[in-house]
Amino acid sequence: MTKERFRRDRKRLAIGAAGILGVLAFAPAPVGAVTIATVPVAALSAGEPGDTNDGESPRVRGAEDGAPPGRPAADPSPLPAFPPFPSPTLPRPAPSPPAASTAPAPSPAPTATPTTSPAPAPAPGFGAYLHYSPRGITDMAAFSRWLGGREVTVGHTYLPGDVWQNIEGAPAWLADWAAWYKAEPGRTLVLNVPMLERTEARVPDAMVARELRSGAAGAYDGHFERLARRLVGLGVKDAVLVVGWEMNGTTYTHRCGPDPRAWRTYWARIARVMNGVEGAGFRFDFTPTRGRDATPWTECYPGDDVVDIVGMDSYDQPYGTDFDRQISEPYGLQAQVDFAAKHGKAISYPEWGLFKNGDNAEYMRRMIRWMDAHPPLYQTISDYCPHGVWQCRMNQRATAVYRQAFKAGGGLPAEDAGEKEQASMRDCRPVRLGGWLEERLGGRLCVRFNW
């Protein structure tokens, strides 16, 4: 670039102030141009102090923060409430029909019996993760009222992964979830189950590989047999179990990467041991994070004979990624749908919500449309900051979309000008300036180059 052109281009810069609740961004424009977008500050900065896990699942915090064991902390401030799709108990996927005979079939005799239409597919199970403890149960009633009385049919909680005793189902609040499940017909309990203790302790890969091989050899069968007996005894013999979730990342000790072969064998062994308990009929959900992450999740798939559901935890990340990319990326949303169809499995979204791109109403609208076009067996948004809507006041635009779409008698609202403005921020890259300066600027400098 010549000096003259550089001086000429530099004169074309236009700088404006975004205000205390805005962030600076380079948007599509002539070379070197600068524009302003008013994205809420909290949406960029909340929930990620010290976060170094970009592109993976949200940063994990302890259960003492109010987050599920193995998930990020919830916003401690009290908030409003909301509802779901009415749905029956989630069925196991139907087996594929046998291949038709090649011999010509005889013509059927005339009959006066009218043909019957096939039964409509059940509506997707609807819920939200609100809290792992009994508070999550009581909050469901308020959540339903917030959505105009729409019934929540899916309850979602997590077992702690600190010690084997808790993985075996020791927490007393598991009985409260079982009572909620049995109180009304048509409800579903979704339970995330760690595969190894110290599941958030950043255990080295070599040790993880040894633990996976021990599990594959049967060393931990007794723990999962005890969990299965406890669940059957509580009356939740058909719970959906999300075992070893987000295995394709690096967050958890139950990750797949250190030894995919041992991981697959171990996961399949857990499913067989648990469903081998008398009276058990659990549904097993294989749930990676969206995208490739550290390990392609297809390398971890344990087999059609033990998997009932192909799930996906899908948050709005990383920075600047639009929804089209979330669909088309390798091991993304389309890959999940195609893989599940190929293997004859249902799909699910045990965790989904906002994250790295703040109060993104466009993401919310597109994700809801995606689930309308590709109905999951169930879906539960992670409803705490920064991901949620009812318990997270910072996401006002996305909350309006969600509430209108899911409330009783509602529907997806029309796109507004604010969402179009957000769409212009795609591929914006944040510049870390430090907490003190970002607080005074009212947000994070976000740069988009359009050379």
Side-chain angles (χ1 to χ4, degrees):
M1 179 184 298
T2 65
K3 292 183 179 179
E4 178 59 29
R5 182 183 173 189
F6 178 80
R7 285 193 297 268
R8 183 174 64 254
D9 288 343
R10 188 170 55 183
K11 292 179 180 178
R12 297 163 68 183
L13 295 176
I15 302 176
I20 194 64
L21 294 179
V23 294
L24 299 178
F26 283 80
V31 177
V34 183
T35 58
I36 304 302
T38 56
V39 179
V41 174
L44 283 178
S45 57
E48 52 166 335
D51 182 17
T52 58
N53 198 24
D54 289 3
E56 298 180 12
S57 61
R59 188 172 72 89
V60 177
R61 299 178 188 163
E64 68 277 5
D65 297 321
R71 299 309 313 159
D75 184 354
S77 59
L79 290 153
F82 85 130
F85 301 83
S87 77
T89 301
L90 305 183
R92 283 180 173 271
S96 301
S101 170
T102 56
S107 301
T111 176
T113 304
T115 58
T116 57
S117 301
F126 177 87
Y129 170 76
L130 302 172
H131 201 274
Y132 65 89
S133 74
R135 172 185 146 190
I137 300 170
T138 57
D139 281 353
M140 278 194 280
F143 183 69
S144 178
R145 288 194 298 272
W146 182 69
L147 289 177
R150 190 169 191 171
E151 183 186 3
V152 177
T153 58
V154 180
H156 189 181
T157 188
Y158 295 68
L159 287 173
D162 49 353
V163 294
W164 281 117
Q165 184 180 14
N166 285 329
I167 297 174
E168 293 172 0
W173 43 257
L174 199 56
D176 296 296
W177 284 98
W180 172 85
Y181 162 77
K182 293 184 292 183
E184 295 288 343
R187 287 179 173 177
T188 298
L189 178 63
V190 176
L191 179 65
N192 279 50
V193 179
M195 296 170 67
L196 294 167
E197 61 181 351
R198 298 183 296 160
T199 196
E200 300 175 56
R202 302 294 180 182
V203 175
D205 280 355
M207 188 176 295
V208 170
R210 288 196 297 271
E211 289 285 278
L212 293 175
R213 290 165 196 154
S214 294
Y220 305 132
D221 287 2
H223 300 300
F224 294 98
E225 182 179 351
R226 282 187 281 276
L227 172 61
R229 293 189 184 281
R230 183 160 287 165
L231 291 172
V232 170
L234 289 171
V236 284
K237 61 184 180 181
D238 62 348
V240 173
L241 304 182
V242 186
V243 176
W245 66 100
E246 300 185 8
M247 78 300 294
N248 56 325
T250 60
T251 300
Y252 301 113
T253 303
H254 60 228
R255 59 190 180 272
C256 170
D259 192 335
R261 181 177 180 180
W263 194 95
R264 295 192 300 267
T265 302
Y266 182 27
W267 200 98
R269 190 175 191 108
I270 292 170
R272 293 188 183 105
V273 165
M274 293 191 70
N275 268 343
V277 168
E278 184 178 359
F282 303 112
R283 275 97 29 98
F284 286 88
D285 192 331
F286 169 79
T287 299
T289 57
R290 193 197 74 244
R292 187 187 189 281
D293 215 320
T295 305
W297 51 260
T298 52
E299 294 182 11
C300 310
Y301 187 69
D304 291 345
D305 58 327
V306 289
V307 172
D308 297 294
I309 307 161
V310 175
M312 183 163 282
D313 287 351
S314 185
Y315 292 95
D316 184 23
Q317 62 176 351
Y319 289 112
T321 299
D322 65 16
F323 200 79
D324 289 332
R325 175 64 178 166
Q326 295 181 27
I327 293 172
S328 64
E329 68 181 325
Y331 310 101
L333 292 171
Q334 188 63 56
Q336 175 209 13
V337 169
D338 293 344
F339 184 91
K342 179 180 178 181
H343 291 264
K345 306 299 178 184
I347 63 170
S348 70
Y349 297 103
E351 297 182 24
W352 67 279
L354 305 158
F355 194 23
K356 295 290 187 177
N357 296 299
D359 183 12
N360 190 346
E362 183 197 22
Y363 162 82
M364 185 61 67
R365 181 185 308 281
R366 294 287 302 278
M367 187 64 186
I368 293 170
R369 284 177 177 164
W370 176 261
M371 291 187 289
D372 283 345
H374 307 278
L377 200 59
Y378 71 92
Q379 56 96 351
T380 50
I381 191 172
S382 296
D383 193 63
Y384 53 93
C385 285
H387 314 301
V389 285
W390 177 54
Q391 295 188 107
C392 197
R393 292 194 181 100
M394 68 171 69
N395 298 321
Q396 295 181 12
R397 290 175 175 173
T399 295
V401 173
Y402 183 97
R403 190 180 189 192
Q404 178 62 32
F406 289 123
K407 72 180 182 181
L412 200 61
E415 184 180 29
D416 62 25
E419 291 176 56
K420 295 177 181 178
E421 178 185 356
Q422 286 181 316
S424 71
M425 296 288 292
R426 293 172 182 166
D427 303 322
C428 175
R429 304 300 300 173
V431 177
R432 295 180 184 271
L433 302 175
W436 183 88
L437 184 55
E438 288 173 2
E439 181 180 354
R440 280 147 186 80
L441 286 175
R444 182 173 294 167
L445 184 68
C446 194
V447 181
R448 178 175 180 176
F449 295 97
N450 189 34
W451 302 107

